[in-house]
Amino acid sequence: GAGIANYGLLSVSNTRINGNAVFATSRANGGGGGIGNDGTAYITNSTISYNYGSGLENSRLMSLTSVTMQGNTASPYDSDGGAIDNDGTLTLLNSTISGNSAKYGGGIHNDSTLTVLNSSISGNSAQYGGGITNFGTLTVSSSTISGNSAYSYGAGIANYGLLSVSNTRINGNAVFAT
C-alpha cells in the first residue's frame, strides 16, 4: 500500500485517500495504491480515488461502509481490480464503485469472499469483467451494476466462482468484443 500499508488493526473514517501509486515490478510486490491491507481494516464515510496500482488490495479482513471509490487504475504488473483487488474477506455496504479500470475486474476483482450490499458498481471498464470479476464466492444483494464495459466478456460480472445475486438491478453494461 502506497497511501496506507496495514498489518494490524486499521480504522479510517471521514478521510480522502487519493493520488497514491504503487510501481511494483512484479505481482509478488503487491498492490493497493491507496490501501494495502494484510490485517483487519474498517473504512467508513471516506473516498479512495485516483490511485495507481488499485485503489485498495485486501489480503485479510476488510469492511467498507459508505465509501466512494473512483478513478483508480490497476498496474500492468498487478492487473486485477481497478478499485478493489480482494484476496481475503471483504464486505461492501452502502458504497459506490465508479470509473475505475483494470485488465481483470475494472471495479472489483475477487479471488476469495466478497459481499456487496446496497451498493452501486457503475461506469467501470476492463478487458474481462467491467464491474466485477469473480473467482471466489460473491454475494450481491439490493445493489446496482450498470454502465460498465468490457472488451472481451462480462461487462457487468464475469463469474468463474460461486455467485449469488438477489434484489439487484443489472442494466446498461456493454461488451465491445473484437
Side-chain angles (χ1 to χ4, degrees):
I4 298 172
N6 179 50
Y7 300 96
L9 176 60
L10 172 67
S11 177
V12 174
S13 63
N14 303 309
T15 300
R16 176 181 282 293
I17 300 169
N18 73 320
N20 301 287
V22 170
F23 297 104
T25 56
S26 72
R27 186 173 172 86
N29 290 338
I35 299 173
N37 181 51
D38 199 19
T40 300
Y42 301 97
I43 315 297
T44 59
N45 300 314
S46 295
T47 299
I48 300 171
S49 59
Y50 304 103
N51 296 288
Y52 179 79
S54 297
L56 66 84
E57 185 168 341
N58 177 49
S59 298
R60 299 282 186 209
L61 178 64
M62 179 176 271
S63 174
L64 302 173
T65 304
S66 299
V67 171
T68 298
M69 299 190 71
Q70 65 185 33
N72 298 288
T73 305
S75 75
Y77 293 102
D78 190 5
S79 57
D80 299 342
I84 299 170
D85 185 6
N86 183 49
D87 296 314
T89 300
L90 188 134
T91 301
L92 185 68
L93 175 63
N94 298 325
S95 295
T96 301
I97 309 294
S98 67
N100 302 283
S101 62
K103 184 172 183 179
Y104 302 96
I108 303 170
H109 178 84
N110 180 50
D111 275 324
S112 190
T113 305
L114 172 63
T115 303
V116 178
L117 303 168
N118 197 34
S119 294
S120 173
I121 299 170
S122 63
N124 301 288
S125 63
Q127 175 109 28
Y128 310 97
I132 302 172
T133 301
N134 178 49
F135 286 90
T137 301
L138 170 60
T139 302
V140 181
S141 180
S142 302
S143 295
T144 300
I145 299 173
S146 66
N148 299 290
S149 62
Y151 294 96
S152 291
Y153 49 82
I157 300 172
N159 181 52
Y160 304 91
L162 179 61
L163 172 63
S164 173
V165 179
S166 64
N167 302 314
T168 292
R169 183 176 172 181
I170 301 173
N171 69 303
N173 300 289
V175 171
F176 302 101
T178 56

